[in-house]
Amino acid sequence: AGFYLRKRQGQVPFPSSFPADLPEQLKPKGNGVLTPTQMRVYEDFGSVKLYDIKEIPEVKGQEDFPGSGKLVGLTKRATDLDRPGPQAQGIDTHGQISNQQVLDNLINAYFNLKKAIASYPDAKDTPLTSLRKTQKAQDIHKIVSLFPSMLRAAREENLFPREVMYLTFANKVFKELFVESNALTISSQCAVLKCIIAAYPSAIDRISEWLLAGDEPERKFVKPVITALIGNHLVDTRYIDDCFRKILITNLTSQHAEQNPARMREVERIIDLSITLVRELVVKEQIHPPESFRNIIEVLLRLPKSVSAPFERSIQMLFDGLASLRPEISAKLGHREVEAKNGQESPMFKVVDLTVPIEDPEQEGLRRRVCYLLDDWLTICLENTVSDKTYAQYLSLLRQQGLLQTTKSTNLFFRLITELCIEAAYSSKQPQSQTTGLSYTTIDALAKLVVFLVKFLDNANKIALLSAFLQVAAHALIRDHDQKSPMNEFNQKPYLRLFTNLLYDLNTPDPALDSSNIEVLNAFSHAFHTLRPSRVPAFTFAWMELISHRMFMPKLLISKPHRCSVMFKTLIVDLLHFLKPYLQNAELLDQIRLLYKGTLRILLVLLHDFPEFLCEFHFSFCDAIPTTCIQMRNLILSAFPRNVRLPDPLTPNLKVDLLPEITHPPRIGCDIKEALVRHNVLQPLEQYLANRQPTSFPIKLCEKLKSQTQDVKFGSKYDVKLVNSLVLHVGMQGIAKLQANNEEGIMPQFQDNSCMDIFERLVTNLDPEGRYYVLNAIANQLRYPNNHTHYFSCVLLYLFLQSEDMFIKEQITRVLLERLIVHQPHPWGLLITFIELIKNPQYEFGRQPFTNCAPEIARLFDSVARSCMPAKEDNTVHMPYGVDKDKLGR
């Protein structure tokens, strides 16, 4: 494998007896002839005396650093032996520190990083980017931010070249990855390796070689580490892709392979690891495109049944996810199923173009050709008197160059021209300039070129061409972000300009694209989802501006196909998921506060112009919003369809159950059963709701609601999504039963009802935290007039009435009250429920001890009562029963 990697890099292989970390000038060339540089080393060797072996200065705690053995510094000329000068101390005569001291400083900083991580055990399962903004977290981030400047302090030296120093430190950090495999440690070490690669890009090849061809072959099977390395672009996916394919083909195509247990165990481990990598990095996180693992995907498609049987379900789920990203993969999977039905086996790994190694653009002068083409296009764009003939000639030139003939060549052309334009935009800013302005000439020209090709290239599928460019641009942005963010050098403005120009130009009325407008919007939706804030945090503000752009959001939401609304729902959920850890822990830094304000404005626009969208997907949004964001949740739950007229909740003697809309179910556009199915709760729940068996199910259900991993990082021991799904599903089943009975009134039917049994057991048996989430899930359904609002309002009132526990009644009041004391808007169903609670003497709300426990509480209830209750003719208001006006302190 080591030979293969060096061959792919264009290096002549050298015998394995030579150290792999020799500087380039000292590496043997394989032809037996020494270069002048190498000969000079041998000639000078006699005049250099290896003396005075000096060790690295003692680092506090250095014994805890694996592999931190004594590094030996060499040499001094014999003439300087009797008078050690500055060089003997590692300092040159110009006052700069030597590379040896740079390495010492890096090791010291790394030890401090390890110590800071060890002092924060509560966050060991939290990645560095998702760490809470505590003092300990700030210490970790501060230490990581020191590495770029320390690495830049290295300089050219003959005895200890900086390349060797970079690789020495990188190797130590790499080995540390396999010592402690928790999320915080791995992500922190990856951040350090990113800094090294930013200073010395060739280190990525060595890291790939250490992983695949090192002295410990088991390293590549450590899933958290290899996933983090590939996900952070610290390992070239081409090496992983080719290496895994080679292992599988070698073991499976050899004679009697299936009779060799050792070979089959290695095959099974490689298949399992391959499925994990593609699922996590391509399907789930979408960090890499499917093309990055094309050999692995092709091998998985063609595995013999005897080998793939243990992984059949995992492979099927993997390709279901891939099919949504690449339709051609779905077609290949269908072909494989047809062959299986006919009793045929695909020829073993008969791979066509998918296994061709990615061509190096520099080798064939492709980058230079693209530069010339870009220069010609810039000339065309800058001239004001360009005719249609000029554009036709340029299009003919592109065809002659063969850059748009195949999917591979098209993607390569798009990648190169995007990188060139972004580099030109970066370089346009003067280093000493006081302004932050960039020149967007090349960016505007690139956008114009893409629009030109999409509209006028004779291509049967214009949308495929646009999607290809958007995905190429998105992954170029991700690479740029991952390389430059550790040094705070990433600039989101060129990419914002590019996507904004494309949005505007491709969504203006044009006969060439009018019939494909919806597909254009969907292509942008997929690209924006790839660039979601949790994946590219430094692009968040530009991303939020793009998804709310007037040429994107309104056009997507007024489109007839339902999938357009689903795509925009996904983008809003992406934004809410990014905000959730900060809002949950009230870590409102200036940037997060500004982002939160922008999110509220987007939701207000949706509430005013597209209320049906918020109504349809309220369940998904409430899942993503933390419980602390009461006003944001109220804003979403206050939406109601434009064809519904809300009755005034303060109307005297309002009969909610007689409203015509109260029997209509609301539209819910998301899968509410997904969490129940994932946690294996749906089937036993359905069985209990049907016949109340087994009787122990409600007790076991309370334990199942506790989270294993999902919400622990947000400070909750319950799976809030599961609670929300459970409450809504049970409520919908309860409504169906009531409609089947066709009896008058809801409350009388609660007496003997399996659905109500679930609610009562949850409220009674859960601790206060779990009960709060259940009551919140019920209150989330108190919206505009519909049968869900009516049913869950009755459930909440019934629980208040039947409960003998004062704490349960107080918690029900808290859930309602905390949603009413914030600024408007307030959901209609919430107002109706609270007015009924304080107005109907049956509930004796005013006589509850918690309503008069303190004058401040009494004044609060009085204030809420004044705002919720209609005024009498004598300008007085209905007071909660039992509240004494004289005790209010007015």
Side-chain angles (χ1 to χ4, degrees):
F3 173 88
Y4 177 73
L5 290 176
R6 290 188 289 274
K7 184 178 179 181
R8 286 290 305 274
Q9 299 171 35
Q11 300 173 0
V12 178
F14 50 81
S16 59
S17 59
F18 288 96
D21 290 342
L22 279 176
E24 189 65 33
Q25 297 89 338
L26 300 182
K27 287 182 181 178
K29 303 305 179 184
N31 54 7
V33 179
L34 295 178
T35 65
T37 304
Q38 294 169 337
M39 183 62 70
R40 189 165 56 252
V41 171
Y42 284 100
E43 291 173 351
D44 293 344
F45 196 79
S47 62
V48 177
K49 182 178 180 180
L50 301 180
Y51 87 104
D52 189 23
I53 297 178
K54 76 177 184 328
E55 301 170 348
I56 294 181
E58 187 69 22
V59 179
K60 182 181 179 182
Q62 186 176 336
E63 63 277 2
D64 297 331
F65 189 89
S68 63
K70 311 300 185 178
L71 294 183
V72 179
L74 296 178
T75 90
K76 200 169 179 42
R77 292 194 178 273
T79 55
D80 297 329
L81 288 180
D82 297 328
R83 43 188 183 82
Q87 292 180 352
Q89 305 170 18
I91 304 175
D92 70 2
T93 55
H94 300 286
Q96 295 178 331
I97 63 175
S98 68
N99 289 346
Q100 183 63 59
Q101 283 197 336
V102 172
L103 181 61
D104 296 345
N105 294 338
L106 289 169
I107 293 176
N108 271 314
Y110 185 80
F111 171 73
N112 292 333
L113 177 62
K114 284 185 59 182
K115 190 175 180 181
I117 295 173
S119 67
Y120 201 7
D122 296 341
K124 66 178 183 178
D125 295 325
T126 305
L128 183 64
T129 55
S130 303
L131 212 58
R132 300 178 185 176
K133 299 299 181 181
T134 61
Q135 183 59 48
K136 292 181 179 179
Q138 291 177 2
D139 292 342
I140 295 175
H141 283 286
K142 185 176 180 180
I143 296 173
V144 172
S145 66
L146 295 175
F147 285 99
S149 59
M150 296 171 65
L151 289 162
R152 286 195 294 267
R155 59 193 181 90
E156 289 293 343
E157 289 183 2
N158 291 329
L159 297 180
F160 194 18
R162 59 182 175 184
E163 292 83 3
V164 176
M165 188 273 295
Y166 289 145
L167 291 175
T168 302
F169 183 58
N171 186 261
K172 292 182 181 297
V173 177
F174 173 79
K175 290 179 179 178
E176 280 278 283
L177 279 167
F178 302 90
V179 176
E180 187 176 358
S181 300
N182 61 66
L184 179 57
T185 302
I186 292 175
S187 58
S188 301
Q189 290 163 338
C190 287
V192 176
L193 289 175
K194 278 186 180 181
C195 297
I196 298 173
I197 290 176
Y200 183 50
S202 298
I204 191 171
D205 296 326
R206 291 303 178 88
I207 294 175
S208 303
E209 186 172 350
W210 295 334
L211 181 65
L212 298 176
D215 53 356
E216 296 185 21
E218 290 296 315
R219 283 175 176 169
K220 61 176 171 287
F221 294 111
V222 183
K223 288 184 181 179
V225 174
I226 189 172
T227 304
L229 287 172
I230 300 175
N232 286 280
H233 302 279
L234 298 173
V235 172
D236 195 330
T237 56
R238 292 177 297 175
Y239 301 154
I240 298 290
D241 194 34
D242 292 338
C243 179
F244 282 14
R245 176 180 177 271
K246 181 180 178 181
I247 293 174
L248 290 173
I249 291 179
T250 301
N251 288 324
L252 291 178
T253 56
S254 61
Q255 293 184 350
H256 309 296
E258 297 184 6
Q259 300 176 9
N260 189 328
R263 282 188 172 182
M264 293 310 299
R265 277 196 299 270
E266 184 177 15
V267 167
E268 290 176 356
R269 295 177 71 186
I270 289 291
I271 293 174
D272 181 54
L273 181 58
S274 300
I275 293 172
T276 300
L277 293 177
V278 178
R279 182 181 64 240
E280 295 296 325
L281 302 176
V282 177
V283 178
K284 187 176 179 181
E285 297 295 334
Q286 295 185 17
I287 297 174
H288 291 280
E291 290 78 9
S292 297
F293 299 97
R294 54 191 175 184
N295 292 339
I296 290 176
I297 292 172
E298 187 71 23
V299 168
L300 294 177
L301 271 170
R302 299 179 180 274
L303 282 176
K305 285 291 184 181
S306 58
V307 178
S308 64
F311 307 97
E312 192 64 35
R313 178 172 174 80
S314 299
I315 293 175
Q316 182 63 44
M317 294 177 64
L318 176 66
F319 281 106
D320 287 344
L322 287 172
S324 63
L325 300 176
R326 293 290 190 274
E328 61 269 21
I329 296 177
S330 179
K332 289 190 177 189
L333 185 61
H335 180 66
R336 174 175 176 255
E337 293 173 350
V338 170
E339 290 178 340
K341 289 181 180 179
N342 296 334
Q344 303 174 3
E345 285 281 354
S346 299
M348 191 59 191
F349 311 126
K350 186 179 178 181
V351 186
V352 193
D353 61 315
L354 286 179
T355 58
V356 177
I358 297 176
E359 181 183 5
D360 186 1
E362 294 291 343
Q363 291 181 355
E364 301 297 334
L366 183 58
R367 188 180 183 90
R368 186 164 56 253
R369 289 159 55 198
V370 173
C371 284
Y372 293 149
L373 290 170
L374 178 59
D375 188 54
D376 292 342
W377 180 253
L378 284 170
T379 303
I380 295 174
C381 293
L382 294 176
E383 292 181 3
N384 296 324
T385 58
V386 177
S387 63
D388 292 343
K389 183 179 179 181
T390 306
Y391 288 113
Q393 290 174 346
Y394 187 80
L395 192 58
S396 176
L397 179 62
L398 287 177
R399 289 198 183 98
Q400 292 174 6
Q401 295 288 336
L403 297 176
L404 302 174
Q405 288 183 349
T406 65
T407 302
K408 177 185 172 182
S409 62
T410 302
N411 289 340
L412 197 55
F413 169 68
F414 282 153
R415 192 192 87 190
L416 289 174
I417 199 169
T418 302
E419 291 175 351
L420 288 170
C421 291
I422 295 299
E423 290 172 5
Y426 272 122
S427 60
S428 65
K429 185 181 184 303
Q430 299 298 326
Q432 305 300 328
S433 175
Q434 298 297 321
T435 64
T436 59
L438 300 174
S439 173
Y440 298 112
T441 304
T442 55
I443 301 297
D444 295 341
L446 175 61
K448 191 173 181 180
L449 175 62
V450 174
V451 174
F452 169 69
L453 293 176
V454 169
K455 288 184 177 181
F456 301 109
L457 187 66
D458 295 336
N459 194 315
N461 195 344
K462 298 176 181 293
I463 302 303
L465 187 68
L466 173 62
S467 299
F469 174 78
L470 291 176
Q471 289 301 321
V472 166
H475 288 287
L477 190 157
I478 291 172
R479 286 194 300 271
D480 191 18
H481 172 274
D482 291 346
Q483 291 173 2
K484 295 180 179 177
S485 286
M487 297 175 288
N488 294 323
E489 294 178 357
F490 176 74
N491 195 327
Q492 58 188 330
K493 292 181 180 179
Y495 300 98
L496 174 62
R497 178 81 168 217
L498 174 62
F499 285 113
T500 302
N501 286 351
L502 291 174
L503 272 176
Y504 186 83
D505 293 338
L506 291 172
N507 284 288
T508 51
D510 191 300
L513 279 177
D514 278 352
S515 60
S516 305
N517 188 256
I518 294 175
E519 300 301 329
V520 169
L521 294 172
N522 275 320
F524 277 103
S525 299
H526 286 291
F528 293 159
H529 178 60
T530 303
L531 298 172
R532 58 194 177 277
S534 59
R535 178 64 188 91
V536 197
F539 190 64
T540 300
F541 285 99
W543 182 88
M544 188 166 65
E545 183 174 342
L546 289 170
I547 68 166
S548 59
H549 196 278
R550 64 187 180 89
M551 301 301 288
F552 178 72
M553 182 175 77
K555 291 180 177 291
L556 194 65
L557 292 178
I558 63 177
S559 301
K560 294 297 183 183
H562 184 254
R563 59 192 173 96
C564 295
S565 298
V566 174
M567 280 304 306
F568 193 70
K569 180 267 297 185
T570 303
L571 297 177
I572 294 295
V573 171
D574 288 339
L575 177 58
L576 296 176
H577 276 158
F578 177 73
L579 282 170
K580 186 172 183 177
Y582 301 100
L583 300 178
Q584 182 75 42
N585 301 298
E587 298 169 358
L588 295 184
L589 305 175
D590 291 340
Q591 300 91 326
I592 300 300
R593 196 180 301 274
L594 187 60
L595 192 63
Y596 175 74
K597 186 183 297 184
T599 305
L600 285 181
R601 290 182 177 179
I602 292 176
L603 293 177
L604 282 170
V605 172
L606 294 173
L607 178 65
H608 184 269
D609 294 341
F610 305 99
E612 291 85 358
F613 172 75
L614 294 181
C615 293
E616 183 176 355
F617 298 105
H618 84 286
F619 182 80
S620 297
F621 298 149
C622 289
D623 272 352
I625 297 175
T627 55
T628 53
C629 296
I630 297 170
Q631 186 177 10
M632 180 183 287
R633 188 185 299 105
N634 270 1
L635 195 151
I636 292 172
L637 299 178
S638 298
F640 60 93
R642 280 169 287 190
N643 60 353
V644 173
R645 185 174 181 181
L646 293 184
D648 186 355
L650 303 181
T651 302
N653 301 319
L654 177 64
K655 301 295 183 182
V656 175
D657 53 345
L658 298 180
L659 296 174
E661 302 91 348
I662 213 66
T663 59
H664 300 162
R667 180 176 180 179
I668 299 179
C670 47
D671 183 9
I672 67 169
K673 299 180 182 179
E674 186 270 334
L676 297 174
V677 173
R678 189 173 70 250
H679 292 83
N680 299 318
V681 174
L682 182 62
Q683 185 175 356
L685 175 63
E686 296 282 6
Q687 181 181 351
Y688 181 84
L689 294 178
N691 52 32
R692 291 188 173 179
Q693 294 296 328
T695 56
S696 60
F697 173 74
I699 303 299
K700 295 180 179 178
L701 182 61
C702 294
E703 290 299 319
K704 283 183 173 291
L705 295 180
K706 292 185 178 180
S707 173
Q708 301 299 322
T709 58
Q710 185 174 356
D711 288 319
V712 171
K713 62 182 179 181
F714 298 128
S716 170
K717 62 182 179 182
Y718 287 91
D719 189 331
V720 181
K721 290 186 177 181
L722 180 59
V723 173
N724 292 340
S725 296
L726 172 67
V727 168
L728 182 54
H729 180 70
V730 172
M732 293 174 67
Q733 296 299 311
I735 293 173
K737 288 187 176 184
L738 294 177
Q739 291 175 341
N741 293 336
N742 198 23
E743 297 180 8
E744 291 293 332
I746 292 181
M747 300 285 268
Q749 300 185 54
F750 282 163
Q751 298 295 335
D752 186 19
N753 188 293
S754 59
C755 297
M756 201 61 211
D757 287 349
I758 295 289
F759 288 128
E760 288 183 309
R761 292 293 186 92
L762 291 176
V763 170
T764 304
N765 296 333
L766 290 175
D767 61 9
E769 181 187 357
R771 186 188 308 127
Y772 176 74
Y773 292 134
V774 171
L775 296 175
N776 253 315
I778 295 174
N780 287 344
Q781 311 309 318
L782 304 179
R783 302 188 290 150
Y784 63 92
N786 58 66
N787 61 4
H788 284 197
T789 297
H790 188 207
Y791 178 83
F792 283 103
S793 177
C794 293
V795 168
L796 212 54
L797 295 172
Y798 182 83
L799 292 173
F800 188 94
L801 181 64
Q802 295 298 318
S803 177
E804 297 179 359
D805 190 338
M806 192 59 57
F807 292 105
I808 294 178
K809 293 185 176 183
E810 183 177 354
Q811 203 161 17
I812 292 174
T813 305
R814 174 206 167 172
V815 169
L816 296 174
L817 192 63
E818 68 183 5
R819 298 178 180 227
L820 288 170
I821 60 177
V822 297
H823 292 294
Q824 294 181 347
H826 300 128
W828 179 86
L830 181 71
L831 291 171
I832 288 295
T833 304
F834 192 75
I835 289 173
E836 178 67 15
L837 182 64
I838 65 176
K839 181 180 178 181
N840 194 331
Q842 179 183 7
Y843 303 106
E844 297 183 343
F845 180 77
R847 295 190 176 92
Q848 306 300 326
F850 57 82
T851 62
N852 291 293
C853 61
E856 298 82 10
I857 300 297
R859 282 195 293 270
L860 175 63
F861 281 113
D862 177 45
S863 174
V864 175
R866 287 177 179 275
S867 61
C868 294
M869 301 291 289
K872 291 184 177 181
E873 294 181 357
D874 57 355
N875 294 326
T876 61
V877 297
H878 292 283
M879 298 297 297
Y881 291 91
V883 177
D884 189 352
K885 293 183 180 180
D886 296 335
K887 295 182 180 180
L888 295 180
R890 290 196 298 268

